[in-house]
Amino acid sequence: MPSEKVLTAKQELVASLVEKLGGAVSGVLVDYKGINVADDTKLRRELREAGVEYMVVKNTLLRRAFQAVGYEDLCSALEGTTAIAMSKEDAVAPAKILAKYADAHKDSAFALKAGFVEGKQLDAAGIGEIAKLPSREQLIVQVLGMLQGNIRGLAVALNAIAEQKESA
C-alpha cells in the first residue's frame, strides 16, 4: 500500500489532469516509444510554441482523470507508454504536430492512439483526419480572401454601372 504522501501526490495529479482536460478544446494520446532525446526535445519545443501542453502520464492516473471528465472511451487506448498533448485554444494543433512527427518517424514505434476534440472522443484514424484540417489562422485567411474577392467583384460591378450611366 502506498504511503499517505504518495497517495496524496497522485490524487493531486489526477485533480490537476481533470482540470486541464476540462479546459482543453483538444487532446491527443500518443505511444511515445522509440523517440530519442533530441527528437523529443524538438517535438516538445514545437508543441510549446503552438501553445500545446505535452506530458507523459501513468495510464492509471490518466484513466481516473478520463473517467472523472467523461472520456471513458479513451481508456481503451491506455496501454503501453502514453503521453498526452492538450491545447486550450487551437483544436487542430496537437493532432497536426504529432501526426506530422509520427509520419516523419514511421521507423520508430511513435504512434497516435486516440484523442478528443471539443468533447468528441476520436480513435487514431479520427485524429489523423483532424490533423489534415487547416489551422484556425489558415481558415481565417481563406474566409477573408473569399470575402475580399466578393467585395472586389461588387466594386467592379458598381464601377461598371456608374461608367455606363455616365456615357449614356
Side-chain angles (χ1 to χ4, degrees), residues 64-90:
R64 289 178 191 259
F66 281 157
Q67 289 168 343
V69 176
Y71 290 155
E72 288 87 3
D73 292 349
L74 296 178
C75 292
S76 62
L78 298 176
E79 293 185 19
T81 57
T82 304
I84 185 167
M86 297 176 282
S87 177
K88 292 181 180 181
E89 297 168 6
D90 191 347

Side-chain angles (χ1 to χ4, degrees), residues 13 20 40 42 46 63 81 92 97 111 136 141 165 168:
L13 180 58
K20 289 176 184 179
D40 185 54
K42 283 195 290 190
E46 187 175 355
R63 183 174 287 113
T81 57
V92 180
I97 293 168
R136 183 174 185 265
V141 168
K165 286 188 177 188

Side-chain angles (χ1 to χ4, degrees), residues 100-119:
K100 181 179 79 172
Y101 182 86
D103 287 343
H105 296 85
K106 290 186 184 279
D107 55 331
S108 71
F110 188 92
L112 301 175
K113 288 183 170 185
F116 63 92
V117 175
E118 295 182 353

Side-chain angles (χ1 to χ4, degrees), residues 116-153:
F116 63 92
V117 175
E118 295 182 353
K120 184 173 183 191
Q121 300 170 57
L122 304 167
D123 60 2
I127 293 297
E129 290 299 314
I130 295 294
K132 294 176 186 173
L133 293 174
S135 71
R136 183 174 185 265
E137 289 77 21
Q138 290 170 326
L139 288 173
I140 290 170
V141 168
Q142 289 174 356
V143 168
L144 290 175
M146 288 188 298
L147 290 174
Q148 185 179 13
N150 291 338
I151 292 171
R152 184 179 302 126

Side-chain angles (χ1 to χ4, degrees), residues 13 28 36 48 53 55 60-61 69 105 110 129 144:
L13 180 58
V28 177
N36 63 39
R48 193 171 35 254
E53 185 173 355
M55 65 180 78
T60 54
L61 301 178
V69 176
H105 296 85
F110 188 92
E129 290 299 314
L144 290 175

